[in-house]
């Protein structure tokens, strides 16, 4: 419901509300021929990939096919693979569209401006030193009043965070129990996985203060993208193996697109690595 509500709001802002309708010709040109030459552009692009895909979800989505009640015959397995592929494609497409809408509206609402006018006429000012996480809800302000926009965005952000931590825990369970055959109590597994996620953030914020939150969030997304090749290459190797997958091994166009995507993401990771190291040093030391 939250995704549908925010998605509807963004749809209205992108296609109906006059002051926030973007230049679709420019968007199409940028989508076909993206430019990463600007300062920090490659770093942000890598972060967007990491935030949208997330390496642990590759394992989780692959394992979800086994959660369906399927018979051990070709027809049942083919149906399970089809519906699982449909589930994954729909969810990732929605994630892509929502993330793209946020990015486009952030450019329309914030770029080159010092204030935003909410639907109720309230003017909210911001500057270069603004905390962009705290004012991200203003992308909804042209359609909603400031209070409604902030509440909706905050609740959606909380739900999004819970969803991410749950999928992270489930993916850890899939890998530890299904692949490595480690048996842990659920509370121990949750304590370990969530502790590894939360403790570094608390440590950095404790040293640097709240001003580091936005940079820390971007860095975490870039680190997720850097981990993608370590998930993609083994997964592609296993799923294309005839000895392991038999007649269900990946082949043809799907296999070509998968390997091209893996090498493309790896190339972008290597291209953005110097910026990652600089940003990590800056966040940790404050230099």
């Amino acid at each position: 419901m939250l995704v549908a509500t925010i998605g509807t709001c963004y749809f209205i802002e992108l296609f109906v509300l006059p002051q926030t309708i973007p230049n679709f010709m420019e968007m199409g040109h940028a989508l076909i021929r993206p430019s990463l030459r600007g300062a920090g552009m490659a770093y942000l692009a890598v972060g967007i990939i990491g935030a949208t895909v997330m390496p642990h979800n590759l394992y989780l989505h692959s394992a979800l096919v086994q959660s369906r009640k399927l018979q051990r015959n070709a027809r049942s397995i083919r149906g399970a693979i089809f519906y699982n592929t449909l589930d994954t494609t729909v969810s990732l497409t929605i994630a892509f569209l929502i993330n793209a809408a946020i990015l486009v509206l952030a450019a329309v609402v914030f770029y080159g401006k010092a204030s935003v006018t909410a639907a109720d006429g309230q003017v909210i000012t911001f500057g270069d030193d603004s905390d962009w996480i705290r004012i991200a809800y203003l992308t909804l302000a042209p359609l909603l009043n400031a209070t409604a926009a902030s509440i909706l965005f905050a609740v959606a952000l909380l739900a999004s965070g819970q969803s991410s931590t749950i999928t992270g825990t489930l993916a850890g369970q899939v890998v530890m129990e299904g692949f490595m055959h480690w048996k842990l109590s659920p509370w121990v597994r949750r304590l370990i996985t969530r502790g590894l996620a939360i403790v570094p953030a608390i440590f950095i914020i404790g040293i640097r203060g709240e001003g580091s939150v936005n940079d820390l969030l971007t860095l975490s997304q870039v680190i997720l993208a850097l981990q993608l090749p370590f998930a993609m290459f083994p997964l592609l190797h296993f799923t294309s193996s005839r000895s392991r997958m038999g007649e269900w091994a990946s082949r043809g166009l799907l296999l070509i697109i998968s390997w091209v995507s893996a090498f493309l993401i790896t190339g972008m990771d290597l291209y953005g690595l110097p910026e990652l190291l600089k940003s990590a040093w800056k966040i940790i030391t404050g230099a």
Side-chain angles (χ1 to χ4, degrees), residues 135-182:
I135 65 174
Y137 74 92
L138 293 177
T139 54
L140 292 168
L143 180 66
L144 308 171
N145 64 56
T147 302
S150 62
I151 292 174
L152 177 61
F153 202 88
V155 174
L157 199 61
L158 176 63
S160 167
Q162 289 302 307
S163 175
S164 295
T165 55
I166 289 170
T167 57
T169 303
L170 289 174
Q173 177 181 344
V174 165
V175 173
M176 285 191 284
E177 293 187 358
F179 184 73
M180 305 181 76
H181 304 292
W182 290 355

Side-chain angles (χ1 to χ4, degrees), residues 68-247:
R68 299 183 181 276
K69 294 180 180 179
L70 53 92
Q71 307 286 322
R72 291 297 176 182
N73 58 67
R75 182 180 178 182
S76 182
I77 293 174
R78 188 177 291 108
I81 292 174
F82 171 78
Y83 286 112
N84 196 68
T85 302
L86 184 64
D87 283 350
T88 304
T89 303
V90 169
S91 64
L92 283 177
T93 300
I94 292 173
F96 166 75
L97 292 174
I98 294 291
N99 283 332
I102 293 173
L103 188 67
V104 171
L105 284 171
V108 172
V109 172
F110 296 128
Y111 185 72
K113 299 178 182 178
S115 65
V116 173
T117 303
D120 57 358
Q122 181 183 352
V123 178
I124 304 105
T125 59
F126 52 85
D128 292 336
D129 57 344
S130 297
D131 186 339
W132 296 105
I133 292 178
R134 293 187 178 184
I135 65 174
Y137 74 92
L138 293 177
T139 54
L140 292 168
L143 180 66
L144 308 171
N145 64 56
T147 302
S150 62
I151 292 174
L152 177 61
F153 202 88
V155 174
L157 199 61
L158 176 63
S160 167
Q162 289 302 307
S163 175
S164 295
T165 55
I166 289 170
T167 57
T169 303
L170 289 174
Q173 177 181 344
V174 165
V175 173
M176 285 191 284
E177 293 187 358
F179 184 73
M180 305 181 76
H181 304 292
W182 290 355
K183 300 294 183 181
L184 293 175
S185 298
W187 72 270
V188 174
R189 183 171 56 248
R190 291 168 189 152
L191 184 64
I192 293 172
T193 53
R194 298 194 180 195
L196 288 172
I198 294 172
V199 170
I202 294 175
F203 177 75
I204 296 296
I205 294 171
I207 294 175
R208 293 282 319 285
E210 295 181 359
S212 62
V213 172
N214 190 61
D215 293 336
L216 184 63
L217 177 63
T218 305
L219 177 64
S220 69
Q221 294 168 345
V222 174
I223 291 174
L224 282 175
L226 287 176
Q227 295 176 54
L228 274 172
F230 297 99
M232 294 180 74
F233 283 106
L235 197 61
L236 287 171
H237 173 70
F238 288 143
T239 55
S240 62
S241 171
R242 293 276 183 177
S243 61
R244 292 183 176 88
M245 302 296 294
E247 64 176 301

